Every structure is written in C-alpha cells, then in structure tokens.
Amino acid sequence: MTSGQTTPTDQTEHRYVLTLGCPDRTGIVARISAFLTEIGGWITEAGYHSDDDTGWFFTRQAIRADEVSFSADELRARFAAEVAAELGPETEWRLTDSRDTKSVVLLVSKETHCLIDLLGRAHRGELPATIRAVVGNHPQLEELATRFEIPFHHVPFGGERKAEAFAELARIVDGYQPDAVVLARFMQILPPKLCDAWAGRAINIHHSFLPSFIGARPYHQAFARGVKLIGATCHYVTADLDAGPIIEQDVIRVDHSDSVSDMVRQGRDIETLVLSRGLRWHLEDRILVHGRKTVIFN
Amino acid sequence: MTSGQTTPTDQTEHRYVLTLGCPDRTGIVARISAFLTEIGGWITEAGYHSDDDTGWFFTRQAIRADEVSFSADELRARFAAEVAAELGPETEWRLTDSRDTKSVVLLVSKETHCLIDLLGRAHRGELPATIRAVVGNHPQLEELATRFEIPFHHVPFGGERKAEAFAELARIVDGYQPDAVVLARFMQILPPKLCDAWAGRAINIHHSFLPSFIGARPYHQAFARGVKLIGATCHYVTADLDAGPIIEQDVIRVDHSDSVSDMVRQGRDIETLVLSRGLRWHLEDRILVHGRKTVIFN
Amino acid sequence: MTSGQTTPTDQTEHRYVLTLGCPDRTGIVARISAFLTEIGGWITEAGYHSDDDTGWFFTRQAIRADEVSFSADELRARFAAEVAAELGPETEWRLTDSRDTKSVVLLVSKETHCLIDLLGRAHRGELPATIRAVVGNHPQLEELATRFEIPFHHVPFGGERKAEAFAELARIVDGYQPDAVVLARFMQILPPKLCDAWAGRAINIHHSFLPSFIGARPYHQAFARGVKLIGATCHYVTADLDAGPIIEQDVIRVDHSDSVSDMVRQGRDIETLVLSRGLRWHLEDRILVHGRKTVIFN
Amino acid sequence: MTSGQTTPTDQTEHRYVLTLGCPDRTGIVARISAFLTEIGGWITEAGYHSDDDTGWFFTRQAIRADEVSFSADELRARFAAEVAAELGPETEWRLTDSRDTKSVVLLVSKETHCLIDLLGRAHRGELPATIRAVVGNHPQLEELATRFEIPFHHVPFGGERKAEAFAELARIVDGYQPDAVVLARFMQILPPKLCDAWAGRAINIHHSFLPSFIGARPYHQAFARGVKLIGATCHYVTADLDAGPIIEQDVIRVDHSDSVSDMVRQGRDIETLVLSRGLRWHLEDRILVHGRKTVIFN
C-alpha cells in the first residue's frame, strides 16, 4: 500500500452494465432481455422505470461479463444493430465494462473535508475509479493531494483573470478525459461553456437542501430562517445555478443552540456523505438524466 | 371510555412551568434558581439558552407543584415582584400550572389524516389538552368529529363571503378561548387581523420542507424539481405566508418511482407526525418565540 | 362518506401483479418478459433480485390489466403452462388482480394507536384492502371499532381458557378468509398451530428494533440498557417468538431525559408507521419470503 | 498548514466547563448558580438532568473564562470548599479549562476509515484535542499516520505474546497520558486490567446497533437475520464485552439487495460518524457516566 490509491476491491466481478432510456411502449423489456439471453448474459442486477409523467422507459442491467463470449465492443455493435435500432432514434444507451477503470478529477478550493473523504475512499479501493488529479483555485490543498500521491494543479482565479483561469482549468481537466469532474466545494461558478462541455459529468455538492438557500452562504441563510434541519445536495452542474438535476440529498437535525459555525461543522459530515454517494452512483452508471430530473437505480 | 377524550395520563405529576426570555447578563440563572429554592421548588426539568446572535437569554423550568406551598397565582405575583422586575422591562415570562387543562380548536377542510391523528391522541389521553371543537370550511369532516364527540362547526367560505366567513370563524374560535388554534390542513390563508389576534397560538402544518415550495401544491413543486426528500413544516402563523417561526420539520425519502400521488400519500405520515410534535411542545410550554425564530426546550 | 371505509382511491388503475421466486439461471427474465409481451402486457412496475447467497431469483411485475384480453384466471392458467412449468418444481408464484379487494382482520388488546391509525387509513381509502373485523382479547376497543362501523369480536383469554380462546379466535378469523391477520399490539403469543395456519399472512408489530429486546417490555429493556435510539419491527409471525422474517424497521432518537413512559409514548408513532408500511407492502404483493428473510420490491 | 494538525478553530472562546453529578435534592441549581454568579461567571451553556430512576442530579455548565478573575486551579479549590463539600461525599465533579488541550491516542488494526476521518478532523482543527499517537497491532497503517505526521507504534499481537503485547501497549499509551484512548476498529479485546486503568477514557466503536450483534462479524449476523437497518455504536469500554455505557448510535437503511460486503462498505460511513460524534462529546466534557448509562449534554 505504498501508493495513494488501491485498485477497487469491492467490485471484483467482471461485469457489463447497460443503461438505456427511450419512449415507452410494450415489449421493450422482452426485447432487451431476449437479447441478453441470446448472448448468454446472466443478469445480476436489473432496474426498470416507466415514467408516467414523461412517457419514457428507463432501465439498467448488469450482467456477468465472464459468461459472455463477446468483447464490450462487439456487444455494443450487436446491441446497436439488433435492439437499439428498433427502439427509435430518441433512444439513449450506454454499455460499460467494469474493467475499464473510470477516472475522476477533483476541483477544490480551501475546504478539506470532501477532498480527504474522497482521497480516503480511493486509498482503500472503495471508489470505483481512479482520482487522476486535484485542481485548486488556491494552493493550500496541494499538500494534502501530494500526501496521497495525486497530482495537484494550482489555477489562480483572482482579479481579472477569471476567463483565462477557466480556460486553463478546462485544458487541465480535459487532458485527463475524466468520467467525472467533481466540484468538491470548489466555490467557483462554472461558465456556461464548461457546463455544456462537461454536461452529465460535472457533479457539484451544494451545502443546503435545495431548492432552499441557493447561492452563497447557505448556512447563514438557514440560520437566519431558523430551520430545524440542514442539508446538502449533490447535483449535476448546469448553466442554471444550483438548479441542475438532483442526484442525492440528505439532512441532519439542528436546533436553537446551533450557531452558524456549528452548522458549518456539522454540515461537513452531510456534505461529505451526500457527495460520496452521488459520485459512487455516477461511476457505477446508476444515474440516468432526463430533463431536469434523475432516475437512479440503486 | 365512553367519551371522545381521556384525561391526559402521561402528565400525572402536578407541575408549575416557568418560561422566560430577557436580554442576557450575568446572574440571571442564579436569581431565578435562588427564587425557586426559596419557595421550596424541586426542579424536574430545566433548559437554558444564551443566544449569541440576539444577546437574549431564554429558560424553561418545571418544578413539582406539590412541594410548593403557594398557588400558581401567588407564585406569579411573587415572581413578578421579586425576579421579573429586576430583569428589566423587555422580559417576557409565563408561569403555567399543569392542572389548568389547555384547550385546542382544530380548523380543517377535507383531509382527514391530521384530524384523525389528533382525535386519536386526545382519545387516549396523550395530548396535554382538550380538543374543544373542530371547525371546517367544508361539511365533510363533521361525521368524524362527531364520532369522537367533539362539536363541529361548518363555516362555508365559498364565493363572495370570505370576509364574512372569517368573521364567523373568529367568533366561533374565540368563544372557546383556545390555547392553540391548529390549522390541520385548513387550506385557507388567515387574514392579517386573525394572524395578529391569534399570534403565538395559531399553528399551521405546511406540506413541504420550508422555505422550499411555499404556497400551493408543494408536492407538485417537489415532483417537478426532482428532490430526493420531501418534508413537512409546523410553524406559527404570521401575516407573511408560510414564513412564520418554524417549530418542527421532518423529511422522508422519495425517488424517481414516486408519483405526485405517492408523495401526497407518504407525505401525510410526515405531516401528521410533525404537527403532533409541534402541537405537543406548544401545549407543554416548550416553545419560546423570538423574532422569526423559536427556542424549543425539549 | 357515511361508512367506515372508502373504496381505495390511490390504486385506481386495474392491474395484474405477478410475483415469482425460483432457483436462478439465465433466461428467466427473458422468458417471463416474452410471455408478458405476447399477451400484450404493458409493464408499469418491475423488480428483480438475484440472491447470491441462496442462488434464488425473485421478481415482481405489475401490468395494466385493461390492455390484456384475458381474465386473471386465464392468465394464471397460461402462465402455469407456458412459463412456470419450465422454471422447475421449486418455483413459487402468484398472480393477483388489483380488482380483487383484499381483506384484513385486526387482532387487538387495549392499545389504541395502531387500531386508530389503520381505521383512519381505511376510512380515507388509503389502505388497499377492507378491514373486515377487529378481534380483541379485551372488550375496551369495541367502541372504537364500532365508531368506524367495523364488526368487533371479544374473545376473552383470561384464566384457564387460553386454548379454547385461541380456537374461538381461529374460527372467527378464518370465517373472514383474510389476506392479512394483523397483530396490532395484540399482546398474546400465537400457538404454533395458528402460526402454521396463518403462515405468510400473520403480521406482527414488535415494539423494539429486533433482534434487540425480544419478548416482554422492550421499552423497559431499552431504558435499562441506555440505548440512544428506540425502534419498532414489523415481521411475519412464526412459531419462533419475535424471530419471523422482518418486513420493516425504523427508529427514533431518545436521550437520557426520556423515561420509560416517554419511550412508550414516542414509540407509538414509530410502531404505527412501521406497521402501516409493512401491511401496505404485504397487501400490494410487494413481499416475497424466502427462508428467514424477505425480498421487498417497493 | 505544514503540520498534520491545526490548532482547534471552532472553540476559540476561552471557557471553563463544570460537570457534576450527585444525589438529587432541592437547591443544588441555586447553590451552583449562586457560586458562578459570585465569581462573575457568564454562563454560555447549561444543561441539567434530574434522573427519576436513580435519584441523581447531573449538570454541565460552560462559563466564559475571560470574565472570571481566577485561574482554573483557584476555581477548583473554591468550588470544592464552597459547593462540593455541601453536596455530600458521593458528589463527582470536574472543572476543565478549554485552554488545556486534550490529547488522544488511537488504537488501530488494518481498517483505514475511522483513522483517516479522525486525522482529517484533526488536520482542519475540528477536533478539540491533539492526536498524540497511533498504535497498531499491524504495521499497515503506519504510512497513513506518517502522512499526517503522527507518531506510529507497531505492537504485534500474534501468537503467544498477547499478555506481553498488552503490557507494551499500556506502556506506550500511558506514556502520552491521554484524555481519550480510541479503539478505532482495533479488533482486540482489552483485558480487564486495561479496562479498569482506562475506565471512562477508552472509547470503542462497535459496528452494530447494540445490544444486537455483540461480538465478531456483526454485519454477517445482520445479513443472516435480514434486518432492514444496520447501525454502529460508540461506547465506553468495560470488562463486559460490548456492554459498556452507550455514548452514541446511528443506523442506515439496507435492503435485500445488499450483500455483506455492501453492508461493510456502507457501514463504514456510519461507524465513522458515530465515533467522531462520541469522541467530540467526550473531549468537550459533555458526557457523564452513571452506572451502565450516560447522560449527554449536547
């Protein structure tokens, strides 16, 4: 255990994971499961959702890869030709191979709690991905990243150089081709261009129970309003501030004796948990985004 | 058990409860506790809160009445003269006698869940008060109230008669001199005049985690936003819609498979719990309101 | 709304629900979904579980009945011949029709909270079943049942007549052919013979977080041990006391200031919730029992 | 931020904290608060508990040290002479100075989650103490401790040397005179002698909701029983295995799809939270132990 990360140990089984969304009609499940049976697929997990509100159908299926005599690429080609084509042009699907290790880049500022938590999970092989780099708009967290042998990039955002800084950030991040760009209390608002470029991959943790307390200093807002629970929200980043599709939320109880700094301290625990859960589901291809909402098979 | 309500059984001990709020300074606790000792008071519960934000001090103390050789009225007179006078003109305090049974009036519309829950609690003597009457803007819930032998008043709110209806409502409610006016899913917005008249006594249950989803159809709003938890909020009614001091909140988990009607159904359970807890604390003099916030000794 | 119960309103859609468990192998999902497609079934809910521990496969599928041109009986015959026969002799399956209203009998003693809660749910049409009768080993709750127009039977259990009393209880209950026999704080231990006769239909609420505090006076046990959370457990009744398959559990926080009677009072809320959730899932055919454990598709 | 730990930042205020337990009688609060007033004490937090079950009284009071013209030692001497003496020989009390930084020693084995969590809290100055050392019965976690610049001691427990190993452990730990000895998933059962020596200072995290699943492999036990919630318990260590006074407990929901390894992974989050909360309360002198139970002022 001399490096900063361990090969994921909780997911030793070799699996293919299929996720799919399309307009609903009869026979979709039969079509997909017939295909999986034909190729010899042993389904280990299957989730289905018929959305009455949108008229869409969503599914996620995990099969044992070792019992299938195809590579992931062959499987994709066959699925495209034999199933997806039938389901119509709106169909969105992915097939991933659990052996293709995913990569993550973390964006941070000065707060350590989400960073240490994710470094710890990667260190013990609990995160189904490799943290490739940490990028900070301040230099303070370099030391922590280095302790866990993760490359750190400092991109200063001060003064007039915001546009330039975001361009530099994009170059660095895109160089890693990450499956997830995690704003781990990054404290900078991504410009629309980056929101687009990283759509469905940029994950933020907001320190309130959204849609309450959007924007700056949510614990101060919560304190002023006198709420009895405070929360955290993990969501995909969109150009609409703190309004992207929600992945996960949770809350903890506070009372009149809790000051803002008590809320900040206690809130760290819930931010950490909510972000780590949301990131895990993303990396395990458990989340399907449709419009402003998520379907999560977990 | 032939009547609709049982004498409260959980609070058999005879107690005096003192609640007090005043600008903070040294010696307040000593002054109050010295007074309670002088009169022979055995303190069974004591809560204190020094509020850094407002510079106020709050306390609630319960003492065994049977060991005090004064009536509640004598005690109030002595406390006013010997303690409260010293603490300054801003001091707000109350001393209640657990033998003075409190009274409650419920305002309802068509939803039964909060009504049945509170009738059930009163029936088994769990509520530290008597439900004196139920007032509905629709006639449907008369039968339920009658089953539990509680008087029901129907005050129609339709068409042009809203002002008249509220005047009638006020006459009926005020006739009972209630310690709590509970809007148990009443679905009508109280006019400012009634908010004033019933300040600190009118308790509402709102079916969202405030300040999210103020106003009408909060479950529809929650569904549209795709939140992962739905909640309920019990608060004192003020002229500012759904913005009164929050007493209690709680949440339950929902997911993509929950329709609006699933949320409505599941939400009933959390509305019921949150309202019953808030009402209980109010009736036990556990809540001190200061500005837009509550201090709750529980 | 002159009667005690309303026709269930939350499940207006006419549905067939298939539940099935069998030894796992490839192709089961494909076989079932092909069958459902052939008969024109539009799947509105589908749950699957491959149990690594036991090597069994479990599924629950709900389809829109109105789009199927078969009666439930025809469907059962076809499914038996075309699918179940292939899946082997250990296969257990049921196909239910949401129009066949289920029936429930409640067994009670003196505690009112679970009874009132379930009567209230039935009254507003929230329970997907009809409460056919209430049977009490004490006469006290007759009045409540009668208020909601549900027949009440008093079966005294005192003295030497326990065996006789259980025989009488069995005669009464079996006369209703109930889909669920709910021990709503019944406080009598069913004899093995009745546990067998009602296997998979008798549902108990135990007022602790099982397996902690089995048997009598669990809140006293919890108080003595100084736990920081108390709970309730809904489970199927077996001859092994408080050890049947667990359906649902939940907890609430307590602290040093809570006496046993505080725990009893607060515990009622969690008992009520846990029982009502477990009963609902049972009535919606969401629970598959396998050995000592449950698979719950909710 | 070049060192492994930061001076605690959340508790910048200089405070004296008094904790006291004694047989209950009237006038105790008055006596203590009169004393605090005489010395000019501004009470910032005060908790009281009259325990009906044991007839004992407990209190915790925090006062602003800067407004008191005495040192902590002078204050202790005065309190002993002027108050404690009066309250009788059974009285137990402590007065601590928030400037006296507390020290912690962590005992670990191979699991990293509680260790990294506590190192992270110490690193950001959130823990009101200094972690003086980490002692492991295996060498694996040395590297992590070293990354955070905390001394690591390896004490092998294999084979025949258990008694010797415990003696060595005691020498190392006692050398730091710690205020808390934290068994952060240490996986060794302390001998009675060490339980005595560290009574009230040794804190363990057990990975179940005690008293369920005492002893080894609690997640395997939970899986076999089919519980719907799994938990963790933080408690003081006594010679009675997993039966010491409970400090804190919490739970998370699991279902039939969770394997033992899923429970192990999800359980880490709740173990981490529960241990960190319990340790914090211990270090802030919020916990009074009486018999087998704790009174916690938080």
Side-chain angles (χ1 to χ4, degrees):
Chain A
M1 206 181 292
T2 52
S3 79
Q5 297 179 64
T6 309
T7 307
T9 54
D10 289 336
Q11 283 79 28
T12 46
E13 192 182 66
H14 185 198
R15 289 179 304 176
Y16 295 135
V17 174
L18 170 73
T19 50
L20 179 148
C22 66
D24 203 0
R25 59 178 171 83
T26 53
I28 303 175
V29 176
R31 190 68 206 85
I32 294 172
S33 50
F35 173 83
L36 294 176
T37 300
E38 280 163 37
I39 60 159
W42 180 293
I43 298 169
T44 60
E45 273 190 87
Y48 297 86
H49 174 56
S50 284
D51 198 276
D52 280 348
D53 192 47
T54 60
W56 271 58
F57 168 83
F58 303 93
T59 188
R60 175 186 184 273
Q61 313 214 20
I63 60 174
R64 292 188 190 156
D66 295 339
E67 313 204 0
V68 176
S69 50
F70 302 94
S71 70
D73 278 337
E74 287 169 314
L75 209 51
R76 283 183 198 109
R78 285 195 59 168
F79 187 83
E82 298 176 27
V83 183
E86 274 181 45
L87 299 179
E90 288 183 273
T91 301
E92 293 170 10
W93 65 277
R94 282 164 46 108
L95 192 146
T96 55
D97 182 336
S98 66
R99 287 228 175 115
D100 296 339
T101 304
K102 293 198 169 146
S103 61
V104 173
V105 172
L106 306 180
L107 309 189
V108 302
S109 185
K110 292 177 181 171
E111 293 267 12
T112 64
H113 54 290
C114 287
L115 175 60
I116 291 183
D117 177 72
L118 293 176
L119 292 174
R121 290 177 198 272
H123 178 273
R124 64 176 165 269
E126 183 188 303
L127 210 64
T130 300
I131 299 176
R132 299 290 302 280
V134 177
V135 187
N137 64 332
H138 290 284
Q140 280 89 334
L141 301 193
E142 172 160 18
E143 196 203 342
L144 266 177
T146 305
R147 286 183 191 184
F148 285 84
E149 300 174 28
I150 315 287
F152 181 89
H153 304 265
H154 176 214
V155 179
F157 273 71
E160 299 300 302
R161 68 182 304 281
K162 211 152 220 180
E164 192 183 325
F166 273 119
E168 188 183 344
L169 177 71
R171 273 193 305 275
I172 294 169
V173 168
D174 290 340
Y176 291 102
Q177 297 184 280
D179 297 283
V181 183
V182 179
L183 286 72
R185 298 297 311 272
F186 179 50
M187 312 304 284
Q188 295 285 331
I189 297 172
L190 292 191
K193 198 179 151 188
L194 278 186
C195 293
D196 277 359
W198 298 340
R201 289 186 294 150
I203 293 173
N204 186 43
I205 179 70
H206 183 77
H207 39 312
S208 86
F209 184 74
L210 290 173
S212 288
F213 312 135
I214 283 170
R217 296 162 67 90
Y219 291 125
H220 288 79
Q221 295 182 54
F223 179 83
R225 183 62 187 90
V227 292
K228 299 299 183 185
L229 299 167
I230 54 171
T233 303
C234 176
H235 63 93
Y236 286 111
V237 178
T238 62
D240 211 357
L241 181 64
D242 296 334
I246 292 173
I247 300 170
E248 171 64 342
Q249 305 188 286
D250 216 335
V251 294
I252 47 170
R253 196 160 277 278
V254 292
D255 69 21
H256 59 265
S257 71
D258 289 300
S259 63
V260 170
S261 67
D262 290 331
M263 290 184 181
V264 167
R265 176 174 52 75
Q266 295 172 270
R268 282 180 202 134
D269 288 341
I270 206 80
E271 294 166 32
T272 297
L273 277 181
V274 165
L275 176 57
S276 69
R277 277 188 222 138
L279 176 58
R280 179 178 191 83
W281 298 337
H282 173 80
L283 294 169
E284 292 183 346
D285 297 299
R286 295 186 178 281
I287 311 175
L288 287 85
V289 176
H290 193 70
R292 286 184 65 200
K293 296 169 71 170
T294 57
V295 171
I296 301 184
F297 294 110
N298 64 326
Chain B
M1 207 180 291
T2 52
S3 78
Q5 299 179 63
T6 309
T7 307
T9 53
D10 290 336
Q11 283 78 30
T12 46
E13 192 182 65
H14 184 198
R15 290 179 303 176
Y16 294 136
V17 174
L18 170 72
T19 51
L20 179 148
C22 66
D24 203 0
R25 59 177 172 83
T26 54
I28 303 175
V29 177
R31 190 68 206 85
I32 294 172
S33 51
F35 173 82
L36 294 176
T37 301
E38 279 162 38
I39 61 159
W42 180 293
I43 298 168
T44 59
E45 273 190 86
Y48 297 87
H49 174 56
S50 283
D51 198 277
D52 281 348
D53 191 47
T54 60
W56 271 57
F57 168 84
F58 303 93
T59 188
R60 175 186 185 273
Q61 313 213 19
I63 60 173
R64 292 188 190 156
D66 294 340
E67 312 205 1
V68 176
S69 51
F70 302 94
S71 71
D73 278 337
E74 286 169 314
L75 209 51
R76 284 183 197 109
R78 285 195 58 169
F79 188 82
E82 297 176 27
V83 183
E86 275 182 44
L87 298 179
E90 288 183 274
T91 302
E92 292 170 10
W93 64 278
R94 283 163 45 109
L95 193 147
T96 56
D97 182 336
S98 66
R99 288 226 177 116
D100 295 340
T101 303
K102 293 196 170 149
S103 60
V104 173
V105 172
L106 306 179
L107 310 189
V108 301
S109 186
K110 292 177 181 170
E111 292 267 12
T112 63
H113 54 289
C114 288
L115 175 61
I116 290 183
D117 177 73
L118 293 175
L119 292 174
R121 290 177 198 273
H123 178 273
R124 65 176 164 267
E126 183 189 303
L127 209 64
T130 301
I131 299 176
R132 301 289 303 280
V134 177
V135 187
N137 64 332
H138 290 283
Q140 281 88 334
L141 302 192
E142 172 159 19
E143 195 204 343
L144 266 177
T146 304
R147 286 183 191 183
F148 285 83
E149 299 174 29
I150 315 287
F152 181 89
H153 303 265
H154 176 213
V155 179
F157 273 71
E160 299 300 301
R161 69 181 303 280
K162 210 152 221 180
E164 193 183 324
F166 274 119
E168 188 184 344
L169 177 72
R171 272 193 307 274
I172 293 169
V173 169
D174 290 340
Y176 291 104
Q177 297 185 279
D179 297 282
V181 182
V182 179
L183 285 72
R185 300 296 311 273
F186 180 49
M187 310 306 283
Q188 294 285 332
I189 297 171
L190 292 191
K193 197 179 150 187
L194 277 186
C195 293
D196 278 359
W198 297 341
R201 289 186 295 150
I203 294 173
N204 186 43
I205 179 72
H206 183 77
H207 40 311
S208 86
F209 185 75
L210 289 174
S212 288
F213 313 134
I214 283 171
R217 295 163 66 92
Y219 292 124
H220 288 79
Q221 295 182 54
F223 179 83
R225 183 62 187 89
V227 292
K228 299 299 182 184
L229 301 167
I230 55 170
T233 304
C234 176
H235 64 93
Y236 286 111
V237 177
T238 63
D240 211 358
L241 180 63
D242 296 334
I246 292 173
I247 300 171
E248 171 65 342
Q249 303 187 287
D250 216 334
V251 293
I252 46 170
R253 197 160 277 276
V254 290
D255 68 21
H256 59 265
S257 70
D258 290 298
S259 64
V260 171
S261 68
D262 290 331
M263 290 184 181
V264 167
R265 177 174 51 76
Q266 294 172 270
R268 281 178 203 135
D269 288 340
I270 206 80
E271 294 165 33
T272 297
L273 278 182
V274 164
L275 176 58
S276 69
R277 279 188 220 138
L279 177 58
R280 181 178 190 84
W281 298 339
H282 174 81
L283 293 170
E284 292 183 346
D285 297 299
R286 296 186 177 279
I287 311 175
L288 287 84
V289 176
H290 193 70
R292 285 184 66 200
K293 296 168 70 170
T294 57
V295 171
I296 301 184
F297 295 111
N298 66 326
Chain C
M1 206 181 291
T2 51
S3 79
Q5 299 178 64
T6 310
T7 306
T9 54
D10 290 336
Q11 284 78 29
T12 47
E13 193 182 64
H14 184 197
R15 290 179 302 178
Y16 295 136
V17 173
L18 171 73
T19 51
L20 180 148
C22 66
D24 203 0
R25 59 176 172 85
T26 53
I28 303 175
V29 177
R31 191 66 207 86
I32 295 172
S33 51
F35 173 82
L36 294 176
T37 301
E38 279 162 39
I39 60 158
W42 180 292
I43 298 168
T44 60
E45 272 191 88
Y48 298 86
H49 173 57
S50 284
D51 198 276
D52 280 349
D53 192 47
T54 59
W56 271 58
F57 168 83
F58 303 94
T59 188
R60 175 186 184 273
Q61 313 214 20
I63 60 174
R64 292 188 190 155
D66 294 341
E67 312 204 1
V68 175
S69 49
F70 302 95
S71 71
D73 277 338
E74 287 169 315
L75 210 49
R76 284 183 198 111
R78 285 196 57 169
F79 187 83
E82 297 176 26
V83 184
E86 274 182 45
L87 298 179
E90 288 184 272
T91 302
E92 292 169 11
W93 65 278
R94 280 162 48 107
L95 193 146
T96 54
D97 181 336
S98 66
R99 288 230 175 112
D100 294 341
T101 304
K102 293 198 168 146
S103 60
V104 173
V105 171
L106 306 180
L107 310 189
V108 301
S109 185
K110 291 177 183 172
E111 293 267 11
T112 63
H113 53 290
C114 288
L115 176 60
I116 292 183
D117 177 73
L118 294 175
L119 292 174
R121 291 177 198 271
H123 179 272
R124 63 178 167 268
E126 184 189 302
L127 209 63
T130 300
I131 299 176
R132 300 289 301 280
V134 177
V135 187
N137 63 332
H138 291 284
Q140 280 89 334
L141 302 192
E142 171 159 20
E143 196 203 343
L144 266 177
T146 305
R147 286 183 191 184
F148 284 84
E149 300 174 28
I150 315 287
F152 181 89
H153 305 265
H154 176 212
V155 179
F157 273 71
E160 300 299 302
R161 67 182 305 281
K162 211 151 221 181
E164 192 182 328
F166 274 118
E168 188 183 345
L169 177 72
R171 272 193 306 276
I172 293 169
V173 169
D174 290 340
Y176 291 103
Q177 297 185 280
D179 298 282
V181 182
V182 179
L183 285 72
R185 299 297 311 273
F186 179 51
M187 312 306 283
Q188 295 285 332
I189 297 172
L190 292 191
K193 198 179 150 188
L194 279 186
C195 293
D196 278 359
W198 297 340
R201 289 186 295 150
I203 294 173
N204 186 44
I205 179 72
H206 183 76
H207 40 312
S208 87
F209 184 76
L210 289 173
S212 289
F213 312 136
I214 283 171
R217 296 163 68 91
Y219 292 124
H220 288 79
Q221 296 183 54
F223 180 82
R225 181 63 187 90
V227 292
K228 300 299 182 183
L229 300 167
I230 54 171
T233 304
C234 177
H235 64 94
Y236 285 111
V237 177
T238 62
D240 210 358
L241 181 64
D242 295 334
I246 292 173
I247 300 170
E248 171 65 341
Q249 303 188 287
D250 216 335
V251 294
I252 47 170
R253 197 160 276 277
V254 292
D255 68 22
H256 59 265
S257 70
D258 290 298
S259 63
V260 170
S261 67
D262 290 331
M263 289 183 181
V264 167
R265 177 175 50 75
Q266 294 172 271
R268 282 179 204 134
D269 288 340
I270 206 80
E271 294 164 34
T272 298
L273 277 181
V274 165
L275 176 58
S276 69
R277 278 188 219 137
L279 177 58
R280 180 178 191 83
W281 298 338
H282 174 81
L283 294 170
E284 292 183 347
D285 298 300
R286 296 185 177 280
I287 311 176
L288 287 84
V289 176
H290 193 70
R292 286 185 65 201
K293 296 169 71 171
T294 57
V295 171
I296 302 184
F297 295 111
N298 65 325
Chain D
M1 204 181 293
T2 52
S3 80
Q5 298 180 65
T6 310
T7 306
T9 53
D10 289 337
Q11 284 77 30
T12 46
E13 193 181 65
H14 185 195
R15 289 179 303 177
Y16 295 136
V17 173
L18 171 73
T19 51
L20 180 148
C22 66
D24 203 1
R25 59 176 171 85
T26 54
I28 303 175
V29 177
R31 191 66 207 86
I32 294 171
S33 51
F35 172 82
L36 293 176
T37 301
E38 279 162 39
I39 60 159
W42 180 293
I43 299 168
T44 60
E45 272 190 87
Y48 298 86
H49 174 56
S50 283
D51 198 276
D52 280 348
D53 191 48
T54 61
W56 271 57
F57 169 84
F58 303 92
T59 188
R60 175 186 185 272
Q61 312 214 20
I63 61 173
R64 292 187 190 157
D66 295 340
E67 312 204 1
V68 176
S69 50
F70 302 95
S71 70
D73 278 338
E74 287 169 314
L75 210 49
R76 285 183 197 110
R78 285 195 59 168
F79 187 83
E82 297 176 27
V83 184
E86 273 181 47
L87 299 179
E90 288 183 273
T91 302
E92 293 170 10
W93 65 279
R94 282 163 46 109
L95 192 146
T96 55
D97 182 336
S98 66
R99 288 228 176 116
D100 295 339
T101 304
K102 293 197 170 147
S103 60
V104 173
V105 172
L106 305 180
L107 309 189
V108 302
S109 186
K110 292 178 182 170
E111 291 267 12
T112 63
H113 54 289
C114 287
L115 176 60
I116 291 183
D117 177 72
L118 293 175
L119 291 174
R121 290 178 197 271
H123 179 272
R124 64 176 166 269
E126 183 189 303
L127 208 63
T130 301
I131 298 176
R132 300 290 301 281
V134 176
V135 187
N137 64 332
H138 290 284
Q140 280 89 334
L141 302 194
E142 172 160 19
E143 194 203 344
L144 265 178
T146 304
R147 286 183 191 183
F148 285 84
E149 301 174 28
I150 315 286
F152 181 89
H153 304 265
H154 176 212
V155 180
F157 272 71
E160 299 299 302
R161 68 182 304 281
K162 210 152 221 180
E164 192 183 327
F166 274 119
E168 188 184 344
L169 176 72
R171 273 194 305 276
I172 293 168
V173 169
D174 290 340
Y176 291 103
Q177 297 185 280
D179 297 282
V181 182
V182 179
L183 286 71
R185 298 299 309 274
F186 179 51
M187 311 305 284
Q188 294 286 331
I189 297 172
L190 292 191
K193 197 178 151 189
L194 278 186
C195 293
D196 277 359
W198 298 339
R201 290 186 294 150
I203 294 173
N204 186 45
I205 179 71
H206 183 77
H207 39 312
S208 87
F209 184 74
L210 290 174
S212 287
F213 312 134
I214 284 171
R217 296 163 68 91
Y219 291 124
H220 287 79
Q221 295 182 55
F223 179 83
R225 182 64 187 89
V227 292
K228 299 300 183 184
L229 300 166
I230 55 171
T233 304
C234 176
H235 64 93
Y236 286 111
V237 177
T238 63
D240 210 358
L241 180 64
D242 296 334
I246 292 173
I247 300 170
E248 171 66 341
Q249 303 187 287
D250 216 336
V251 294
I252 47 170
R253 196 161 276 277
V254 291
D255 68 21
H256 60 264
S257 70
D258 289 299
S259 63
V260 171
S261 67
D262 290 331
M263 289 184 182
V264 167
R265 177 175 51 75
Q266 294 172 271
R268 284 180 202 133
D269 287 341
I270 206 80
E271 295 166 33
T272 297
L273 277 181
V274 164
L275 176 58
S276 69
R277 277 186 221 139
L279 177 58
R280 179 179 192 83
W281 298 337
H282 174 80
L283 294 170
E284 293 183 347
D285 298 300
R286 295 185 177 280
I287 310 176
L288 287 85
V289 175
H290 193 71
R292 285 184 65 199
K293 296 169 70 171
T294 57
V295 171
I296 301 184
F297 295 111
N298 63 327

